[in-house]
Amino acid sequence: MTSIGTGYDLSNSVFSPDGRNFQVEYAVKAVENGGTAIGIRCKDGVVLALEKLVVSKLLKHGANKRIATVDRNAGIVSSGLTPDGRHFVSRARDEAAQWRKLYKAPIPTSSLANRMGSYVQAYTLYSSVRPFGVTAIIGGWDAEDELPVDGMVGSGPSVGSGGKQEGSKKGGPSLYMIEPSGLYWGYYGAATGKGRQSAKSELEKLDLAAGNLTLEEGVKEAARILYFAHEDSKDKEFELEMTWISSKDGPTKGRHEEVPKELREEAERLAKKALEGDEDDEDTKMEE
Amino acid sequence: MFRNNYDSDTTTFSPQGRLFQVEYAQAAVGQGSIVVGAVSKSHAVLVALKRQAEELSSYQKKIIQIDSHLGIALSGLAADARVLSNFMKQQSMASHMTYDRPISIADISVRLCDRAQTHTQHAGSRPYGVGLLIAGVDGKGPHLFEFQPSGDAQEMVAASIGARSQAARTFLEDQVKEFESMDEATLITYTLRALIRSQPEDKVLSYDNTSIGVVGLEKSFKLLEGEEILEHVKRAYRLEGRAPEEYSENADEGGSME
Amino acid sequence: MNHLPQAWGRPRDDVYGPYNNSYLQTSGPSQHTQSPIVTGTSVLAIKFKDGVVIAADNLASYGSLARFTDVKRLLRFNSRAVIGFGGDVSDMQYLTRLLSSLEINENYSVTSSTELAANNLHTYLHKVMYKRRSDFNPLWNQILIAGLDVADNPYLASVDLLGTTFSSPTLATGFGAHLAVPIMRRVCPDEEAAKELTQEQAVETVRECMKVLFYRDARSLDKYSIAVVTKEGVDLKHGEKLEKQSWAFAEGIRGYGTQVN
């Protein structure tokens, strides 16, 4: 059934006779025009990456960061309407801060995804608002070590109630993707935006479920996949923005940070090389 | 009355995922008179062409100082800009009060964006109808941001918004690599040249229709108007290889006669 | 003896005197904190030519009871500021959380804003403390902020539960304001002297003062934290022990140490 002209697609929160909310579907269209964003959940961390299309020569190179930090240990990359993405991030930061106020601990990534899912869903319920024009990927590392009793203060009891469990391990990497409908899933590898189809098929080849990919390999794969997805969509220039989160023992010490320049450039160099390699392969096949 | 069914409010997406009301608000920015901005590694500059509503009225204010390290140039609905500039002044003062620190240019731009974004997602209000160039200096050097009613702000090396601004942008794009190393006077001259290029031959930058705002690492935001701009304008025309009558060598010093 | 229910679980009036009902006030103006409960004692700090040294012991007292002996009263905020808290420990914990949320906010974007300097933090804490005292609900602390200011010069200032601010090349809170300040002023009487002082001299003076305070302050401990803030960053050590104590002086003082009469 077509949406246009029926009148069921003119307002948010209205169902069509066959049970669809067209305004949400149109919001998804806004996402499909945005630069490709991906997230990879590696065995020792999470990588977030974004293809930032250069729309003007006058833009300052390397400025205008779009992957945002939430709390200390989580990051959000989104595709679609940039201002909506910023609104989404601002809410996520509020949720994380509220959680800390209440529980004196960082919000687990799963809870953050859950809260944000509910928030986005609420924007599909009312005719007075429109749905979010973004699909957001949330990556986080839940701390594996025990939290101090109250931030910096004291060390707490060494035994008994509130005492420490020797060698206890929990937490780890998480990756979630939230759509304009408010629907979200946990992912091994997530992709959204313009080049999501080819990015997804590349992610699937990595066998992420096996949990063998290291964070550093993840960074390189993320760069390669974005270059690959970009090539397909025939856009002109783009900037690659990448962030990562490792465990406490890893390179970022449990924090969400930008991938260091050297590593990013190395990853981009390899990505370009891999693309050229592919082209060579195709050429030789043609010749054959 | 409407161009299509999907452009009557900000809470409706078109089937292509567009927000027409926001796009129309962006069009309002293009109706305003042109403003141009650029940054070097030491300075940020704004220049603007002011309109006179009628013969007996004053010229419209285009550049507003927000703080001693920061100012804006506007194009579009001036009334909206006044609301936004008041908001920016409040944010800027709050930073001084709470932290004894001038607010960073990126921070204040983001706050502006967050505010503008809410007007694009909730019914009962309209998006702002004004675009801003935000120029200032903070701990990380000089910055220039271009703010749009959609709630987006991008950091630029140079920018221009308003009527006929495409010609100015084309000029800026040609020069984009040069700005970084320019000194204050050169930077002003080049932004003025972009302004000149956007205007038809017979429209001359004068004494009272041009404003300049400049801020530097070692220099508080300063609004130049009237006599103060003449030297800069003359130099810009000279570099453009044009000599309007008003600025020919034998015209008397002191400026423009319309 | 009173067997009525309102007396149940209360100390007997005939033995302990009448219960002070003013604590159970049901009418009259609303009251907030009237006194601190679990407290930390002095914080000391001294400026030197390249930075600031700050120290505080690791004790939290419940009245005269030495209740917690591993409390960290120095907080590293970032690479250029350390905050030392005297006074109520739960209020210190509240401020710690407040500052940690500030720190998280500051780090959302490392590219756009510069790190908060010590003087920025001091202004912020002053706002918080003054607001609370103006609400008649003070945070019962005396706070020292030690570090580098925006221009990377050594910075040391205090703010207290009344929202009063003060700055000096040597500062101490609590008992230390009486006992340590004169000693510190001997090596660092003014800003000029602070510009000449070496890090070693400053650290040595602070350690000496911690020792004097342990001798004379009955709410102090011989375990302490000490931090040095310079352009190289923060060197913060917890659980330092007082060394080379000499209690010989106690012999000559009546009512002190072993001599009772």
Side-chain angles (χ1 to χ4, degrees), chain B residues 136-174:
Chain B
V137 167
D138 59 26
K140 300 267 159 127
H143 300 279
L144 174 71
F145 282 82
E146 179 184 323
F147 163 83
Q148 289 289 342
S150 60
D152 207 357
Q154 308 259 41
E155 181 159 12
M156 315 290 281
V157 172
S160 177
I161 52 174
R164 309 170 139 266
S165 58
Q166 184 53 52
R169 277 198 298 276
T170 308
F171 173 78
L172 295 172
E173 280 172 17
D174 290 341

Side-chain angles (χ1 to χ4, degrees), chain A residues 133-151:
Chain A
V134 289
T135 289
I137 300 174
I138 303 182
W141 181 281
D142 299 332
E144 67 277 46
D145 55 358
E146 219 178 312
L147 294 163
V149 171
D150 195 339

Side-chain angles (χ1 to χ4, degrees), chain C residues 84-128:
Chain C
F85 298 90
D88 194 274
V89 169
S90 61
D91 285 350
M92 168 180 83
Q93 290 174 324
Y94 168 78
L95 282 165
T96 310
R97 288 199 288 280
L98 201 65
L99 288 165
S100 107
S101 83
L102 176 66
E103 188 261 344
I104 289 171
N105 269 277
E106 281 292 307
N107 285 313
Y108 284 151
S109 172
V110 282
T111 47
S112 71
S113 53
T114 41
E115 208 174 38
L116 278 176
N119 63 313
N120 302 136
L121 266 182
H122 179 251
T123 306
Y124 174 72
L125 284 169
H126 166 236
K127 286 279 143 186
V128 172

Side-chain angles (χ1 to χ4, degrees), chain A residues 4 9-10 23 26-27 29-30 33 56-60 63-64 81-84 86-87 123 127-133, chain B residues 5-6 10-17 19 113-114 117 120-123 150-152 154-158 169 172-173 176:
Chain A
I4 301 160
D9 66 341
L10 296 177
Q23 276 296 308
Y26 296 171
K29 286 281 193 302
N33 299 328
S56 161
K57 274 196 219 167
L58 296 174
L59 281 168
K60 185 169 169 184
N64 301 307
L81 309 178
T82 318
D84 284 20
R86 211 180 278 120
H87 174 188
Y123 278 76
S127 61
S128 57
V129 294
R130 62 169 174 80
F132 275 82
Chain B
N5 285 326
Y6 304 98
T10 49
T11 57
T12 307
F13 277 109
S14 82
Q16 291 76 37
L19 292 167
C113 287
D114 288 351
Q117 195 277 152
T120 73
Q121 196 166 194
H122 297 262
S150 60
D152 207 357
Q154 308 259 41
E155 181 159 12
M156 315 290 281
V157 172
R169 277 198 298 276
L172 295 172
E173 280 172 17
V176 72

